[in-house]
Amino acid sequence: MCGIFGVHGHSDAVRLTQLGLYSLQHRGQESAGVVFVDEKGGARAVRSMGTMNDAMSAELERVKGVTAIGHTRYSTAGSSTIENAQPVLSRTRGGFVALAHNGNLTNAAELRMDLEERGSIFTSTMDSEVIVHRLARSNADRPEERLAEALCEVEGAYSLIVTMGDTLLAARDPRGWRPLVLGRLGDAPVFASETCALDIVGATYEREVQPGEVVAVDAEGMRSSFPLPRRELKRCVFEYVYFARPDSRVFGGSVDRARRALGKRLARECPAPGAELVFSVPDSSNSAALGFAEESGLPYELALIRNHYIGRTFIQPTQAGRDAKVKVKYNPVREVLEGKKVVMVDDSIVRGTTTRGLVALVRAAGAREVHMRVSSPPVTGPCYYGIDTPSREELIAARLTPEEIARDLGVDSLGYLSLEGMLASVPGGPHGFCHACFSGDYPTAPPTDPDKLRFGCGC
Ligand code: 5GP
Ligand code: SF4
Ligand code: MG
């Protein structure tokens, strides 16, 4: 998963993009990057591993651009290199091309092989680079026509922000897997993965970039086209469940409202009679746990405190074993838990590793009964469309039944939200969503060799 941001025709474009990326940091912490275009059409990239950091900010303070795009990247094991940091920046015969991509292309391996056979030399192992090569080969006149030509054989998930010369382009795949919104700051159009990035720069939300739409912005103004074949809508329901920030709107709906509705529905489907309090696993399940508490009439408590200063680079002390990582990130509040029958609400269980550690912590802090409630169904399959879920073998719900999972996690009871319940709770549901990792109903054929995708950005 990744976060993308872009602004056109603003004297402070670089600073705005920097701010936008701070708001999209939750969508990716492996690398961050900004490409900016100056008034003469020159383009430069500033990229760094890890999150937006002081060194990168200091460098960006010194530069100016009128158009800028940015990217925060989420990791895929094994491909954590600066070559794979985005935005991609290339010099083509038509000028500079820069591209920021959120999603995963499901036929990237085939397209790349085809391009390599025709002489293309790739500089990264990202699936996104395939689009840049196809753009460079296009002979169409207008930038939006070249982008449409580049995308016509591309399958899978993409929300894109691209610069070509002084044109800024934004595009979303026809199934609309990943979010992308359009806002405005004065006259300057601003594109971002989520509205929280519009808020931070003071831009007003205008609308979503539509599935299958290509938007082009240049000195002449804004043009919209729908050059890609229509497809059934498959927005990622996991954006509402876990990924997006609760202060954002994505897919035209409020993430906070979605999560509260998921929590309320969960309380109706899987009540916990006899429980005395509800708590969340901060921060991702805060809103769902609030919904659960409201619906069940139980008090909402802060039973787990999350340390916000633990970076992803933290090295797990080997002697402390598996639970060390959980302990470093979370600490229970004994005064809340001691002697109590509690409901622990989380948004999802993936591997089960974190949850197992948390249950042990909560019990050690004196909880008498632990009832786990999950505001999404069991994750039974991998995602091929941009979320870095592990392989099927690592998914606890692909191996065990809910009863076995409850035993494995050490909880007194375990309740998952049903698929129907989830789809009925999200704004604009129940239709038009991808739920493949929960239901096995994959909208495309899985990639011929899923491992090949691992060369990709996994963002
Ligand atoms: P588990 O018990 O499966 O190890 O971890 C569950 C936790 O992982 C939940 O709190 C959930 O919010 C979080 N989670 C769900 N999906 C993802 C993901 O794609 N990436 C990360 N880093 N955490 C996730
Ligand atoms: Fe989202 Fe799951 Fe579909 Fe991936 S498989 S796009 S995570 S709903
Ligand atoms: Mg979480």
Side-chain angles (χ1 to χ4, degrees):
M1 182 56 61
C2 303
I4 58 176
F5 186 90
V7 55
H8 183 273
H10 194 291
S11 56
D12 228 2
V14 176
R15 234 75 59 219
L16 297 172
T17 304
Q18 199 179 336
L19 282 174
L21 293 192
Y22 277 118
S23 270
L24 296 173
Q25 198 72 84
H26 62 290
R27 296 184 71 87
Q29 305 92 36
E30 175 171 314
S31 66
V34 175
V35 166
F36 51 94
V37 183
D38 63 29
E39 266 157 350
K40 296 190 193 107
R44 224 189 101 196
V46 175
R47 290 183 287 244
S48 161
M49 296 308 290
T51 54
M52 276 289 291
N53 53 44
D54 292 349
M56 197 174 150
S57 289
E59 195 170 349
L60 289 171
E61 292 293 335
R62 291 195 292 270
V63 300
K64 264 205 163 316
V66 284
T67 292
I69 68 173
H71 189 267
T72 56
R73 180 163 185 266
Y74 188 81
S75 90
T76 312
S79 60
S80 180
T81 59
I82 194 71
E83 289 77 30
N84 287 350
Q86 290 198 21
V88 181
L89 175 61
S90 304
R91 195 195 277 264
T92 70
R93 61 202 155 110
F96 283 106
V97 171
L99 176 138
H101 172 206
N102 173 204
N104 252 135
L105 312 180
T106 51
N107 63 344
E110 290 86 343
L111 293 176
R112 181 177 169 126
M113 226 181 304
D114 178 55
L115 284 159
E116 282 177 334
E117 271 165 22
R118 291 192 283 144
S120 290
I121 298 168
F122 281 74
T123 58
S124 77
T125 56
M126 281 182 291
D127 60 348
S128 320
E129 200 184 340
V130 161
I131 302 176
V132 179
H133 282 266
R134 289 177 60 88
L135 261 174
R137 282 170 183 268
S138 168
N139 289 315
D141 285 342
R142 297 203 135 189
E144 60 267 39
E145 292 163 358
R146 287 163 66 186
L147 183 57
E149 215 174 280
L151 294 174
C152 69
E153 282 170 40
V154 169
E155 274 289 342
Y158 53 85
S159 281
L160 297 174
I161 303 182
V162 178
T163 63
M164 289 174 70
D166 62 358
T167 307
L168 182 71
L169 298 145
R172 230 172 125 202
D173 71 74
R175 294 184 180 87
W177 253 300
R178 298 285 150 221
L180 188 60
V181 295
L182 163 62
R184 215 168 272 273
L185 180 61
D187 291 332
V190 182
F191 296 94
S193 297
E194 300 180 25
T195 58
C196 65
L198 301 182
D199 296 338
I200 197 173
V201 299
T204 324
Y205 172 71
E206 235 168 55
R207 64 177 180 88
E208 279 190 89
V209 174
Q210 299 297 317
E213 184 180 25
V214 174
V215 183
V217 189
D218 60 19
E220 290 167 30
M222 186 180 284
R223 300 179 293 277
S224 159
S225 55
F226 288 84
L228 301 165
R230 272 190 96 81
R231 305 272 202 177
E232 202 183 329
L233 206 52
K234 292 289 177 189
R235 298 161 298 178
C236 170
V237 72
F238 221 72
E239 292 275 353
Y240 278 136
V241 167
Y242 164 76
F243 223 87
R245 255 170 55 164
D247 51 335
S248 283
R249 292 178 70 82
V250 294
F251 307 141
S254 150
V255 178
D256 172 75
R257 293 298 111 171
R259 291 199 186 145
R260 282 179 195 245
L262 290 164
K264 285 183 180 184
R265 175 86 182 215
L266 178 63
R268 291 196 294 276
E269 285 189 8
C270 314
E276 294 162 275
L277 62 93
V278 180
F279 67 92
S280 71
V281 179
D283 297 313
S284 56
S285 69
N286 292 351
S287 315
L290 273 168
F292 192 102
E294 196 183 323
E295 186 71 17
S296 58
L298 293 172
Y300 180 79
E301 288 284 355
L302 299 178
L304 287 174
I305 301 304
R306 177 181 160 187
N307 187 330
H308 284 97
Y309 305 98
I310 302 302
R312 285 168 69 90
T313 46
F314 168 74
I315 315 281
Q316 195 177 331
T318 45
Q319 77 278 12
R322 177 187 277 160
D323 291 343
K325 225 166 149 184
V326 175
K327 263 190 172 160
V328 170
K329 193 165 166 188
Y330 299 101
N331 200 33
V333 183
R334 177 170 281 277
E335 290 66 23
V336 172
L337 293 163
E338 201 156 31
K340 291 289 195 315
K341 299 176 180 175
V342 300
V343 181
M344 175 163 116
V345 175
D346 208 347
D347 53 85
S348 52
I349 300 177
V350 182
R351 289 183 174 86
T353 321
T354 312
T355 310
R356 200 178 301 117
L358 283 172
V359 172
L361 284 185
V362 166
R363 285 209 187 277
R368 192 141 59 92
E369 289 178 17
V370 182
H371 301 276
M372 171 95 195
R373 296 293 179 267
V374 187
S375 60
S376 64
V379 177
T380 51
C383 173
Y384 304 126
Y385 314 115
I387 287 191
D388 185 28
T389 37
S391 62
R392 194 177 302 275
E393 303 77 62
E394 291 173 79
L395 297 168
I396 192 167
R399 289 183 286 111
L400 306 178
T401 63
E403 293 71 34
E404 290 167 335
I405 297 173
R407 268 200 301 281
D408 185 86
L409 298 178
V411 292
D412 295 282
S413 75
L414 171 65
Y416 282 100
L417 186 61
S418 67
L419 184 65
E420 301 70 40
M422 174 179 70
L423 294 173
S425 304
V426 293
H431 302 295
F433 285 95
C434 174
H435 40 75
C437 54
F438 301 111
S439 63
D441 183 6
Y442 287 91
T444 63
T448 30
D449 177 1
D451 282 342
K452 280 206 181 130
L453 268 185
R454 296 276 149 187
F455 80 71
C457 86
C459 63

